[in-house]
Structure formats: structure tokens, C-alpha cells
């Protein structure tokens, strides 16, 4: 197990180092601006290392465990599509609608494979919705140092423990690769995930969440707990922008974590969000051992309600802008 984790940690770290040098040579640089949360020009595209780690792990597991190969193959192809369109967008901005179309194709591939493997069209539909949602949520929420990578590491490790087996090992590989990326992104960002990384991570977490849900059955609600920080912030911010008639697909700095970061800095926000997700993960492990589905559902809804109130409080408190250094 330690060797498995070390391999993917090293892929994540070495791949990020190489990606940074490539980004500098190719001038793949995110410049500061009004719609950015950073104030230092920073290379992007480091998430390609996490993508490579996930693909290597999926191929290794598929070869070693042929019975899991069909679903792993669909996952790998979908991941290549999501990461590929993100990689192109990092080099030359694409229309958001083209990106969304590619995400839909990748999500459909995963959904058909899930429906076939588990003999459940409903679970396939859940896989499609989860992939479309998390792929874009992780892209929306990748805005301050260390946040998307740390949340992905926590969620992947937790979902891996719940899913177990082949997908548990895949989840641990993804978590280890995220850990390898983080020293380059936190506390000071020397490279960003880029669209190649943020969207791909969301797709990976969606696949892990679906497999974990299939294992839990009626207790599937618990997989939502370690994802709550991102789902609530992204969901409520998107809803507010839609109600205001804003161009919701354009970059902005209206998320609660961005508002909060302007007041206290990136490091505190990232660490606080990690602590919240760690508590949620501990609660998920405990609830997964319970038999009362109504109790599990109630606790999950209560947690999301608390996160929603926290979102409102942070938005109200963020009326004054305090410049911070990345």
C-alpha cells in the first residue's frame, strides 16, 4: 500500500515540476485581473500530472483485475476527453459550450458503462449527473492556492475508503497524486491546476462517488458529505448569478471562498475548508456504519443546511475588500 501511494505521489510531484517548466516555456501564464483571486502571474496546467497518475493507475488496475476493466476503460476514455479539452483550453481559450459538449460525451460514456456493469439505468443517470456536476464544480472552485487540490485529496481518500477494492486503490492513487501536486500550489502557488486538472479531478471524483454509492445502496447519501464545501458554494453562487441575469459561465470572484480569501488570505481559507471537509469525512465514515437510512439522510441534509447558512454569512461579511498576497 505504501509503495502504491509513493508511486503516485512521485508521479504527481515530478509531473507537476515538468508541467511548470513546460508552462513557462510555452507562456501558459494566468495573469492577475479583476476576475482573478491571485495578484501574481502564475503558470497553469499542473493538473496534467494528476491526470497522468489517474490514467496509469486505471490501466494498471485494469490489467491486473480484468473483471473491472470495462468500467475502468470507460473512466479512462472519459478522463482523456475531459482532460484533453481542458489542455486545449489552457493553450488557447475555447468556447465554454464546446467544453460542455465534450464533458457531456465523457459523462455519457461513464454513465453507459455504470448502467451496464451494475445493471441499473438509474445509477447510470446518477453517474451522468455526477460527472457533469463535479467536472464543472471543480473548475468553478479552483480559484485560490491549494483549495481545489486539498479538497480533492480529502474527498478522493474518503471515497476510496468507502468504495474499496479496485476503485479504492484508484482513489488512493488520485489522492496521492494530489498530495504530490500541493507543494507546488500551497501555501504559495508556483503553478495552478489549469482547466486540464480541475475538470479532470471533478470527473475522477464523480466516478469514485458513483462506485461508492453503488456499494452503500440506500445509504448513498454519505458520499455527499465530503463534497459539501464545493457543492454548496458552487451551487448557491451559480443560483445567485442566474437570478441576477449574469453570464454565469464567465470568470468571477463571487464565490464565498473568494470573498473570504480577500479578507483573511488564501492559506487560512484553504486550511479552514480542509478542516470542515475532514469533519464531514469523519461523519461519513460513521454514518456509513449506520442502518437507519432516514437518520443518515437527515444528518446529510442538516450538514448541507449548515453549509448554506455559512455561505450566506460569508457573503454578507465580505463587503470590504482586503488585498492579499498569493
Amino acid at each position: 500500500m505504501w509503495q502504491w501511494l509513493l508511486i503516485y505521489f512521485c508521479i504527481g510531484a515530478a509531473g507537476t515540476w515538468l508541467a511548470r517548466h513546460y508552462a513557462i516555456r510555452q507562456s501558459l501564464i494566468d495573469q492577475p485581473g479583476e476576475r482573478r483571486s491571485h495578484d501574481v502571474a502564475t503558470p497553469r496546467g499542473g493538473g496534467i500530472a494528476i491526470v497522468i497518475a489517474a490514467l496509469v493507475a486505471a490501466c494498471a488496475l485494469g490489467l491486473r483485475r480484468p473483471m473491472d476493466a470495462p468500467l475502468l476503460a470507460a473512466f479512462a476514455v472519459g478522463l482523456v476527453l475531459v482532460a484533453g479539452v481542458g489542455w486545449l483550453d489552457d493553450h488557447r481559450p475555447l468556447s465554454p459550450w464546446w467544453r460542455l459538449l465534450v464533458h457531456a460525451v465523457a459523462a455519457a460514456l461513464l454513465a453507459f458503462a455504470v448502467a451496464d456493469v451494475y445493471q441499473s439505468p438509474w445509477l447510470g443517470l446518477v453517474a451522468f449527473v455526477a460527472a457533469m456536476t463535479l467536472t464543472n464544480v471543480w473548475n468553478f472552485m479552483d480559484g485560490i492556492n491549494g483549495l481545489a487540490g486539498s479538497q480533492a485529496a480529502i474527498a478522493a481518500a474518503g471515497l476510496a475508503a468507502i468504495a474499496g477494492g479496485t476503485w479504492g486503490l484508484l482513489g488512493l492513487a488520485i489522492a496521492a497524486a494530489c498530495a504530490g501536486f500541493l507543494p507546488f500550489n500551497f501555501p504559495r502557488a508556483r503553478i495552478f491546476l489549469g482547466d486540464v486538472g480541475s475538470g479532470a479531478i471533478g470527473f475522477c471524483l464523480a466516478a469514485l462517488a458513483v462506485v461508492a454509492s453503488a456499494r452503500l445502496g440506500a445509504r448513498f447519501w454519505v458520499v455527499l458529505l465530503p463534497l459539501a464545501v464545493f457543492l454548496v458554494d458552487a451551487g448557491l453562487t451559480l443560483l445567485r448569478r442566474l437570478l441576477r441575469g449574469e453570464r454565469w459561465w464567465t470568470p468571477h470572484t463571487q464565490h464565498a471562498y473568494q470573498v473570504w480569501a480577500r479578507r483573511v488570505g488564501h492559506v487560512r481559507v484553504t486550511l479552514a475548508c480542509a478542516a470542515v471537509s475532514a469533519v464531514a469525512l469523519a461523519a461519513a465514515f460513521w454514518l456509513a456504519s449506520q442502518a437507519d437510512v432516514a437518520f443518515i439522510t437527515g444528518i446529510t441534509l442538516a450538514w448541507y443546511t449548515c453549509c448554506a447558512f455559512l455561505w450566506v454569512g460569508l457573503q454578507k461579511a465580505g463587503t470590504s475588500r482586503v488585498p492579499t498576497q498569493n
Side-chain angles (χ1 to χ4, degrees):
M1 180 63 68
W2 287 112
Q3 291 176 341
W4 179 260
L5 293 173
L6 181 61
I7 288 170
Y8 294 101
F9 176 87
C10 290
I11 292 175
T16 303
W17 183 84
L18 292 171
R20 183 174 184 274
H21 286 271
Y22 172 83
I24 292 172
R25 289 198 305 270
Q26 298 295 320
S27 297
L28 303 181
I29 308 295
D30 275 347
Q31 300 293 338
E34 292 183 358
R35 296 182 176 182
R36 304 283 185 178
S37 295
H38 63 283
D39 50 20
V40 177
T42 307
R44 64 177 178 268
I48 188 65
I50 299 170
V51 173
I52 292 172
L55 289 173
V56 170
C59 291
L61 291 167
L63 291 172
R64 189 169 183 178
R65 304 181 179 184
M67 64 182 302
D68 295 317
L71 186 53
L72 286 169
F75 162 79
V77 173
L79 180 59
V80 168
L81 288 173
V82 172
V85 75
W87 181 252
L88 292 175
D89 193 56
D90 283 332
H91 285 73
R92 185 179 65 183
L94 302 174
S95 164
W97 307 113
W98 279 112
R99 297 202 310 269
L100 198 63
L101 176 61
V102 174
H103 295 168
V105 172
L109 286 173
L110 180 66
F112 282 122
V114 167
D116 180 61
V117 169
Y118 291 100
Q119 294 298 297
S120 172
W122 287 110
L123 190 60
L125 178 60
V126 169
F128 180 83
V129 173
M132 289 295 292
T133 300
L134 290 179
T135 296
N136 287 281
V137 162
W138 240 261
N139 185 270
F140 293 158
M141 295 291 288
D142 179 27
I144 65 172
N145 300 349
L147 183 65
S150 61
Q151 289 293 305
I154 293 169
L159 294 172
I162 295 173
T166 298
W167 286 84
L169 289 172
L170 178 62
L172 290 177
I174 294 167
C178 290
F181 165 81
L182 278 172
F184 296 87
N185 186 244
F186 183 81
R188 181 176 68 87
R190 290 181 284 162
I191 190 169
F192 295 148
L193 282 169
D195 287 340
V196 64
S198 57
I201 286 174
F203 186 82
C204 290
L205 294 176
L208 291 171
V210 169
V211 174
S213 297
R215 181 181 180 188
L216 289 170
R219 297 170 295 162
F220 72 93
W221 292 101
V222 302
V223 305
L224 295 175
L225 288 171
L227 303 171
V229 168
F230 270 27
L231 288 178
V232 170
D233 196 352
L236 291 180
T237 302
L238 177 61
L239 177 62
R240 186 176 66 173
R241 297 194 77 201
L242 288 171
L243 293 175
R244 290 176 172 178
E246 298 177 8
R247 293 162 61 89
W248 58 268
W249 59 88
T250 59
H252 63 89
T253 57
Q254 298 179 31
H255 288 290
Y257 78 87
Q258 292 170 316
V259 173
W260 192 14
R262 289 196 290 269
R263 296 176 60 85
V264 303
H266 293 204
V267 173
R268 292 183 181 179
V269 174
T270 295
L271 292 177
C273 289
V276 171
S277 291
V279 172
L281 188 57
F285 287 148
W286 174 62
L287 288 173
S289 66
Q290 305 299 308
D292 191 337
V293 175
F295 176 71
I296 294 171
T297 305
I299 293 295
T300 304
L301 291 175
W303 183 263
Y304 269 74
T305 301
C306 291
C307 289
F309 278 113
L310 179 60
W311 181 90
V312 172
L314 290 173
Q315 293 287 359
K316 288 182 176 179
T319 54
S320 61
R321 181 180 176 91
V322 180
T324 60
Q325 294 294 323
N326 284 358

